């Protein structure tokens, strides 16, 4: 059987040059100037001809129609089908990344805006040969009760299950690793509030791919690989560890899979 290739993108924090909020673009210059690096990475991704690209959220630094359309147009340039799971910044009108609620007044809330542009952000699964990919919405760090039922129903009938979500799973070993890398991280924000691993995922998921931290980490917890991916953009103004890469998964048969990183190609 031919192998299947999936490329996973970490946070992007794209900001369109056409977004009208000039003040924010100055305050967030470290991300506003990062998008050309992603355009270069898109060339490398296109060269890989993946079967699917999965983005782990924070496609944009704050939700606006110009930022949404800019992200869509860059991602469409990969020449491959792509799917996204939302990050906190995708659901926020503010660059601080706090998801906003719909008060029935003012601009359309971000969730409707993504849907109107044809970009799905809810829970869903995608089957590729022997592998089931589960895309789970954890943008607010809280996971609703319905998500637990969905996971229970959806997991289990494939040889390999991979979970893709924005915020790292709640588990003591995951929290310890994050704090070992950066002791200032607030565990209220950087791991999920709901314990999904113990009640529902232990022994049923081969690997979990997450973003949100903006640094890479890799550990195995009770048989499940926890991969935390760095930014897939590269900021010319700020050093984020491991930034500017995409992760290529080559899924081959039922036993394991290969993982490697690709970086931007310039001028190709
Ligand atoms: Fe982020």
């Amino acid at each position: 059987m031919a192998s299947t290739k999936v490329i996973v993108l970490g946070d992007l924090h794209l900001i369109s040059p056409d977004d009208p909020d000039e003040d924010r673009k100055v305050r967030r210059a470290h991300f506003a100037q990062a998008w050309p690096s992603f355009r270069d990475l898109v060339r490398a991704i296109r060269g890989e001809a993946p079967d699917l690209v999965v983005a782990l959220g924070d496609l944009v630094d704050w939700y606006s129609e110009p930022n949404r359309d800019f992200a869509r147009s860059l991602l469409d340039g990969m020449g491959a089908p792509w799917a996204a799971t939302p990050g906190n910044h995708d659901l926020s009108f503010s660059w601080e990344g706090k998801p906003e609620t719909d008060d029935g007044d003012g601009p359309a809330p971000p969730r409707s805006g993504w849907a109107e542009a044809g970009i799905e952000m809810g829970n869903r699964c995608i089957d590729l040969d022997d592998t089931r990919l589960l895309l789970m919405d954890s943008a607010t760090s809280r996971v609703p009760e319905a998500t637990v039922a969905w996971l229970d129903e959806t997991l289990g009938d494939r040889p390999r299950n991979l979970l893709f979500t924005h915020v790292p799973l709640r588990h003591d070993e995951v929290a310890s690793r994050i704090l070992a890398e950066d002791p200032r991280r607030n565990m209220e924000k950087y791991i999920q509030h709901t314990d999904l691993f113990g009640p529902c995922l232990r022994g049923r998921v081969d690997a979990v791919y997450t973003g949100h931290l903006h640094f890479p980490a890799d550990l195995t917890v009770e048989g499940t690989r926890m991969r935390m991916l760095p930014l897939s953009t590269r900021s010319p103004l700020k050093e984020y560890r491991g930034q500017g890469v995409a992760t290529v998964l080559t899924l081959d048969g039922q036993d394991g899979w290969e993982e490697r990183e690709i970086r931007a190609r310039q001028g190709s």
Side-chain angles (χ1 to χ4, degrees), residues 225-260:
R225 190 169 177 196
M226 303 285 186
R227 281 289 281 125
M228 299 168 224
L229 299 190
L231 287 166
S232 287
T233 42
R234 173 179 289 278
S235 172
L237 300 179
K238 196 166 168 180
E239 188 58 44
Y240 292 95
R241 194 147 44 83
Q243 67 180 336
V245 302
T247 301
V248 182
L249 312 182
T250 306
L251 308 171
D252 237 335
Q254 295 190 11
D255 300 326
W257 64 96
E258 283 179 18
E259 191 183 297
R260 64 190 164 85

Side-chain angles (χ1 to χ4, degrees), residues 54-83:
V54 177
L56 294 172
D58 285 358
L59 276 59
V60 296
D61 199 40
W62 66 86
Y63 180 82
S64 69
E65 288 189 12
N67 284 349
R68 176 200 69 188
D69 294 346
F70 186 57
R72 183 176 56 178
S73 130
L74 282 167
L75 287 158
D76 284 349
M78 297 185 297
W82 61 271

Side-chain angles (χ1 to χ4, degrees), residues 111-156:
R111 275 187 197 278
S112 350
W114 289 105
E116 279 159 21
I119 299 165
E120 207 178 333
M121 289 289 193
N123 294 336
R124 62 213 183 275
C125 74
I126 299 168
D127 290 335
L128 292 174
D129 298 327
D130 287 338
T131 304
R132 174 158 286 178
L133 285 66
L134 295 104
L135 277 65
M136 186 184 88
D137 174 0
S138 62
T140 65
S141 297
R142 297 178 190 283
V143 175
E145 205 48 44
T147 293
V148 178
W150 172 75
L151 283 170
D152 255 341
E153 277 167 26
T154 312
L155 280 165

Side-chain angles (χ1 to χ4, degrees), residues 11-13 31 57-58 60-61 88-89 166 211-214 231:
D11 295 23
L12 300 172
H13 287 267
F31 285 134
D58 285 358
V60 296
D61 199 40
N88 48 313
H89 283 258
H166 187 63
H212 198 38
L213 298 170
H214 304 177
L231 287 166

Side-chain angles (χ1 to χ4, degrees), residues 9-247:
L9 298 176
D11 295 23
L12 300 172
H13 287 267
L14 297 166
I15 300 172
S16 169
D18 295 331
D19 188 279
D21 195 331
E22 298 300 331
D23 181 46
R24 275 188 193 175
K25 286 192 279 190
V26 170
R27 279 183 287 157
R28 299 292 278 179
H30 53 291
F31 285 134
Q33 294 184 29
W35 69 265
S37 70
F38 184 61
R39 181 195 51 197
D40 295 338
L41 183 61
V42 162
R43 289 196 193 102
I45 292 169
R46 195 163 39 216
E48 292 281 337
D51 296 284
L52 177 72
V53 180
V54 177
L56 294 172
D58 285 358
L59 276 59
V60 296
D61 199 40
W62 66 86
Y63 180 82
S64 69
E65 288 189 12
N67 284 349
R68 176 200 69 188
D69 294 346
F70 186 57
R72 183 176 56 178
S73 130
L74 282 167
L75 287 158
D76 284 349
M78 297 185 297
W82 61 271
T85 185
N88 48 313
H89 283 258
D90 297 318
L91 302 184
S92 172
F93 292 116
S94 95
W95 53 267
E96 290 150 320
K98 291 185 185 137
E100 306 243 341
T101 53
D102 177 13
D103 58 5
D105 215 6
R111 275 187 197 278
S112 350
W114 289 105
E116 279 159 21
I119 299 165
E120 207 178 333
M121 289 289 193
N123 294 336
R124 62 213 183 275
C125 74
I126 299 168
D127 290 335
L128 292 174
D129 298 327
D130 287 338
T131 304
R132 174 158 286 178
L133 285 66
L134 295 104
L135 277 65
M136 186 184 88
D137 174 0
S138 62
T140 65
S141 297
R142 297 178 190 283
V143 175
E145 205 48 44
T147 293
V148 178
W150 172 75
L151 283 170
D152 255 341
E153 277 167 26
T154 312
L155 280 165
D157 59 355
R158 291 269 159 169
R160 189 191 288 123
N161 289 281
L162 305 179
L163 180 68
F164 300 84
T165 196
H166 187 63
V167 178
L169 286 192
R170 184 173 201 87
H171 190 288
D172 287 349
E173 289 180 47
V174 173
S176 298
R177 170 58 69 90
I178 294 170
L179 291 171
E181 301 282 345
D182 184 353
R184 296 163 304 172
R185 293 300 176 114
N186 175 0
M187 289 299 103
E188 284 295 303
K189 178 174 177 188
Y190 286 102
I191 59 173
Q192 292 181 20
H193 295 184
T194 315
D195 176 16
L196 291 177
F197 190 78
C200 164
L201 297 176
R202 181 189 281 121
R204 301 173 76 191
V205 181
D206 297 277
V208 181
Y209 288 85
T210 55
H212 198 38
L213 298 170
H214 304 177
F215 62 71
D218 188 1
L219 68 157
T220 299
V221 173
E222 301 181 56
T224 296
R225 190 169 177 196
M226 303 285 186
R227 281 289 281 125
M228 299 168 224
L229 299 190
L231 287 166
S232 287
T233 42
R234 173 179 289 278
S235 172
L237 300 179
K238 196 166 168 180
E239 188 58 44
Y240 292 95
R241 194 147 44 83
Q243 67 180 336
V245 302
T247 301

